[in-house]
Amino acid sequence: MEQFIYSTYTIVLPIIVTTIMGYVVWLLKNQKKDRDANSKGTMLLLRVQLIEYHDKYMMLGDIPSYAYENFMEMYDAYHALGGNGMITKMMHEIEELHLKKKEV
């Protein structure tokens, strides 16, 4: 009887461990897909906001310091998520704008 239990144990245990490991890998792959989709969505939302800031303040010809700081922080987050290209050009244009002085 003891030999039967040992034989069953040595056969069943690797099957159970393999099944559990397969499930864990499947879960991790699905989490990665979700994370990638969230990152992509966040990057696209940042891109829209950066374009809106750029268009607005380029038209005005100057930018308030709070808006400049917001733009730069959004750009840093956008760039960290893998965004680049035309937004980098827009960032350089925003950097060249004069900061608007706060009127008292």
Side-chain angles (χ1 to χ4, degrees):
M1 182 67 163
E2 191 174 304
Q3 181 63 28
F4 175 73
I5 292 173
Y6 181 74
S7 296
T8 305
Y9 179 76
T10 58
I11 292 171
V12 173
L13 184 63
I15 293 170
I16 292 172
V17 169
T18 302
T19 303
I20 291 171
M21 292 303 292
Y23 180 68
V24 168
V25 167
W26 177 81
L27 282 175
L28 291 173
K29 283 183 179 180
N30 282 343
Q31 286 178 350
K32 183 176 179 345
K33 286 179 190 174
D34 291 345
R35 244 187 347 265
D36 290 348
N38 284 334
S39 293
K40 180 73 171 177
T42 301
M43 186 176 73
L44 293 173
L45 290 171
L46 284 168
R47 181 183 178 123
V48 167
Q49 189 65 48
L50 287 164
I51 291 170
E52 287 179 7
Y53 265 55
H54 174 269
D55 292 349
K56 175 181 179 178
Y57 293 112
M58 291 305 291
M59 189 180 306
L60 292 174
D62 55 19
I63 184 168
S65 59
Y66 70 88
Y68 178 80
E69 186 175 329
N70 286 344
F71 185 94
M72 291 306 177
E73 287 181 14
M74 284 189 295
Y75 175 79
D76 289 342
Y78 175 80
H79 190 72
L81 289 169
N84 54 23
M86 72 172 193
I87 301 297
T88 300
K89 180 180 180 289
M90 290 180 174
M91 185 263 304
H92 291 304
E93 291 174 355
I94 289 289
E95 285 178 327
E96 292 175 8
L97 283 179
H98 296 289
L99 286 178
K100 186 175 185 178
K101 302 281 188 211
K102 187 174 183 179
E103 294 179 15
V104 181

